[in-house]
Amino acid sequence: MHYMASQSTVGLNEAEDDRLHEEHLALQSLMGNPIAFHAEMMGDIMYFHQAMKQPDSEEFVKAVIKEVNGHIENNHWQLVPRSEVPPDAEVVPSVWAMRRKRNLTTNEITKYKARLNMHGGKQTYGVNYYETFAPVVSWFGIRLLVVFTIVFQWSLRQVDFVMAYIQAPIEMDMYMELPAGISTKHGDSKSHVLKLLANLYGQKQAGRVWNEYLVGKLRSIGFEQSKVDDCIFYRGDVVFIVYVDDGMFLGRCDRQLTSIIKELVDLRLDIEDQGHPADYVGVIIRKLQDGSYEFTQRAIIDSVIADVGLDGPNIATKPVPAKSTVHLHAHKSSPTFNGRFNYRSAIGKLNYLAQTTRPDIMYATHQIAKYSSDPRKEHGEAIIYRPRYLKGTRHLGLKFKVDRTRVLNATWTLTLLVLGIVLSLPLTPVLPSLGEVGSFSTQAVLSSGLPNCKLKLLSLPQKQSTSQCLWHFVTSSPSWNL
């Protein structure tokens, strides 16, 4: 995803202008991965010192104790005197990452997590890390998997790799300071350090090491890696998709998938079978009685509504995502945005929604995201308009359903496929639609005229390159006979 750079700030000195430019580029980079951006912007993620100031700090303390005991029981490190650390080795600080996990439907807290990380920011290139890139599955790939499930009427199974990174061995000898609040009978952080024996979270290369380890395990039982998306694998007519430590299998029947999950367990992977997916990477997945699937994100919508102060009763809602009569620009002569809510956080959540289950707010979100480095009063007012619309449509989401009674016009099929909106399998057009919104339904797309279709095409975020990738992926496995 790319956002147009805003104009240079008039009247600011060169250093301040450069700072705003760098901040804007950083925002663009973060928004390139909406899933990761959403995780960063949620208020339930914090550091140790922040968690200890929370009213539920006792729950975080319990999570810390559980985390440390888990590492000790599984022999993830070795306590060694500082005198035994090689002189050319670095002792990297440790840092706690605390998190509340919530039910995506009710927003209730379901679990407190404390994750001990190495402070990757203190690592030195060429000393304790080299390559760091680790692929992340695209949201397009996740949607495509669900489309296949509907078309072929196959089964879906979700799995979780327990403490995924740590299942992989450490890449090289590494040493870490004892974590805050922890002492041992042999000594404290002044006299002892931890020699890591497992691929601890926080290392710059931890994601890459885990990914290579998992790929090796999958290939050992016959899975092939997609040439289009590095996080999608197939073996015969079984497809596997993984986002860091969360995976989904697609196959002809549950018994087939159960057998493959057992194979992974036999490879000494700690994997939890979670059955049919209820939520995946922050999206609620619901299978309806007619065999279709619905994707919604009510918890995220409620979160952004609360962020801008619209969570009270008797709040007026809006019928459309943005005012058609207002043209946003830099508004340099207007007052600076008053900061009564976190502008960048709201943009992050709206962007995440737009790229996953609410394409109807995509264009409107792009227009306000351009001014994140220097928002003005008009930009803040424009943001508030989006949650007012979402408040009245929070129950809506993407719905995937096969319509076997209609045949797409060849011209429209080609146009839609080029834009990555329709997956046209033999005699089976499959289109995503916003549930209960007529203008986004399958029937409306097939029957409406040119002006309305143009509007719908612009509302959906897939590009021409995506449709090409889709076609290559669909035809990559000979067992599907497409």
Side-chain angles (χ1 to χ4, degrees):
M1 188 59 59
H2 177 70
Y3 296 92
M4 293 173 59
S6 56
Q7 300 174 8
S8 296
T9 308
V10 179
L12 295 178
N13 59 44
E14 185 176 348
E16 179 67 7
D17 198 41
D18 288 344
R19 183 190 66 79
L20 291 174
H21 179 66
E22 292 298 326
E23 182 179 317
H24 190 75
L25 291 178
L27 175 68
Q28 291 184 23
S29 177
L30 282 171
M31 285 187 174
N33 185 346
I35 299 173
F37 194 14
H38 159 255
E40 178 179 317
M41 291 299 173
M42 292 301 288
D44 284 332
I45 299 176
M46 63 199 80
Y47 291 108
F48 180 83
H49 70 278
Q50 295 171 321
M52 293 302 100
K53 297 177 182 179
Q54 300 295 314
D56 49 359
S57 60
E58 291 185 3
E59 298 298 327
F60 285 114
V61 171
K62 295 177 184 177
V64 166
I65 295 173
K66 180 179 179 181
E67 172 81 355
V68 172
N69 288 339
H71 285 296
I72 294 173
E73 292 169 2
N74 290 284
N75 197 33
H76 291 157
W77 59 53
Q78 178 183 352
L79 187 68
V80 299
R82 283 187 179 273
S83 57
E84 294 184 7
V85 178
D88 58 342
E90 292 183 345
V91 180
V92 182
S94 58
V95 60
W96 284 105
M98 322 298 284
R99 182 186 178 191
R100 301 183 187 96
K101 294 194 72 173
R102 295 181 182 270
N103 182 297
L104 293 181
T105 303
T106 65
N107 210 34
E108 294 178 352
I109 299 173
T110 59
K111 189 177 183 180
Y112 289 84
K113 296 191 69 175
R115 175 166 288 165
L116 181 59
N117 301 282
M118 172 180 281
H119 194 327
K122 300 296 184 179
Q123 289 181 255
T124 302
Y125 179 76
V127 175
N128 45 33
Y129 82 94
Y130 293 95
E131 300 297 327
T132 62
F133 172 76
V136 177
V137 68
S138 63
W139 179 244
F140 154 74
I142 297 172
R143 283 207 308 255
L144 180 60
L145 181 66
V146 175
V147 168
F148 280 165
T149 301
I150 299 169
V151 172
F152 299 138
Q153 299 180 347
W154 284 359
S155 298
L156 268 181
R157 291 279 282 281
Q158 184 172 354
V159 296
D160 176 62
F161 294 95
V162 182
M163 298 184 74
Y165 284 11
I166 300 175
Q167 295 191 41
I170 193 74
E171 186 178 41
M172 63 183 71
D173 286 346
M174 299 187 71
Y175 297 85
M176 186 179 76
E177 299 282 2
L178 265 66
I182 302 297
S183 61
T184 73
K185 62 181 180 180
H186 301 289
D188 56 18
S189 58
K190 294 181 180 179
S191 59
H192 286 73
V193 300
L194 300 175
K195 180 180 181 180
L196 300 184
L197 305 177
N199 182 46
L200 202 67
Y201 285 89
Q203 302 170 73
K204 287 182 177 292
Q205 70 270 38
R208 183 187 61 82
V209 172
W210 157 247
N211 180 262
E212 290 182 349
Y213 180 74
L214 178 61
V215 170
K217 294 288 188 180
L218 291 170
R219 283 177 171 165
S220 71
I221 58 173
F223 275 91
E224 295 181 42
Q225 195 169 18
S226 168
K227 295 179 180 179
V228 175
D229 192 319
D230 289 336
C231 292
I232 298 179
F233 305 82
Y234 50 86
R235 188 181 79 177
D237 50 19
V238 174
V239 184
F240 177 64
I241 188 169
V242 61
Y243 177 78
V244 187
D245 57 356
D246 291 314
M248 278 201 297
F249 283 98
L250 159 67
R252 292 185 180 276
C253 63
D254 280 333
R255 184 173 57 186
Q256 179 188 35
L257 302 184
T258 299
S259 175
I260 291 178
I261 294 172
K262 184 178 182 303
E263 289 184 56
L264 293 176
V265 173
D266 291 341
L267 293 176
R268 302 186 67 179
L269 284 171
D270 190 354
I271 184 172
E272 178 183 336
D273 184 357
Q274 299 181 329
H276 190 277
D279 66 82
Y280 192 69
V281 295
V283 178
I284 299 172
I285 301 175
R286 191 161 67 100
K287 185 176 182 179
L288 306 180
Q289 291 184 346
D290 61 359
S292 62
Y293 279 80
E294 182 182 68
F295 289 5
T296 57
Q297 291 176 287
R298 293 191 184 187
I300 308 301
I301 292 175
D302 289 342
S303 176
V304 72
I305 289 172
D307 287 351
V308 300
L310 297 178
D311 52 337
N314 304 319
I315 299 294
T317 61
K318 300 296 181 182
V320 292
K323 293 181 179 179
S324 60
T325 57
V326 175
H327 174 67
L328 287 178
H329 52 86
H331 294 286
K332 294 300 181 182
S333 61
S334 297
T336 302
F337 171 63
N338 60 17
R340 66 188 182 91
F341 58 84
N342 189 320
Y343 191 97
R344 293 182 75 244
S345 176
I347 289 292
K349 293 176 183 179
L350 289 170
N351 181 66
Y352 180 63
L353 283 167
Q355 295 198 45
T356 48
T357 63
R358 296 300 298 264
D360 52 327
I361 67 169
M362 177 67 75
Y363 180 77
T365 300
H366 284 185
Q367 296 310 298
I368 53 178
K370 292 189 294 184
Y371 308 105
S372 298
S373 62
D374 188 23
R376 301 295 169 138
K377 178 175 70 72
E378 289 82 359
H379 305 141
E381 293 172 351
I383 280 192
I384 294 176
Y385 203 95
R386 280 59 166 172
R388 286 187 183 276
Y389 166 69
L390 291 171
K391 189 177 180 71
T393 59
R394 60 188 294 273
H395 58 291
L396 302 180
L398 284 180
K399 184 178 180 181
F400 296 86
K401 180 181 180 180
V402 176
D403 186 349
R404 303 179 188 277
T405 65
R406 293 176 177 268
V407 179
L408 284 174
N409 175 277
T411 303
W412 277 115
T413 302
L414 177 60
T415 304
L416 290 168
L417 181 58
V418 165
L419 291 172
I421 297 170
V422 62
L423 170 61
S424 186
L425 295 176
L427 302 179
T428 311
V430 181
L431 296 94
S433 62
L434 264 174
E436 301 182 7
V437 178
S439 63
F440 276 84
S441 69
T442 303
Q443 183 170 347
V445 172
L446 296 178
S447 62
S448 58
L450 181 61
N452 286 335
C453 283
K454 281 186 177 179
L455 175 62
K456 280 178 271 293
L457 299 183
L458 291 173
S459 300
L460 293 172
Q462 301 300 337
K463 301 178 181 179
Q464 180 176 352
S465 58
T466 300
S467 65
Q468 294 170 349
C469 289
L470 182 152
W471 181 252
H472 285 301
F473 178 76
V474 168
T475 57
S476 62
S477 177
S479 62
W480 292 336
N481 295 319
L482 298 180

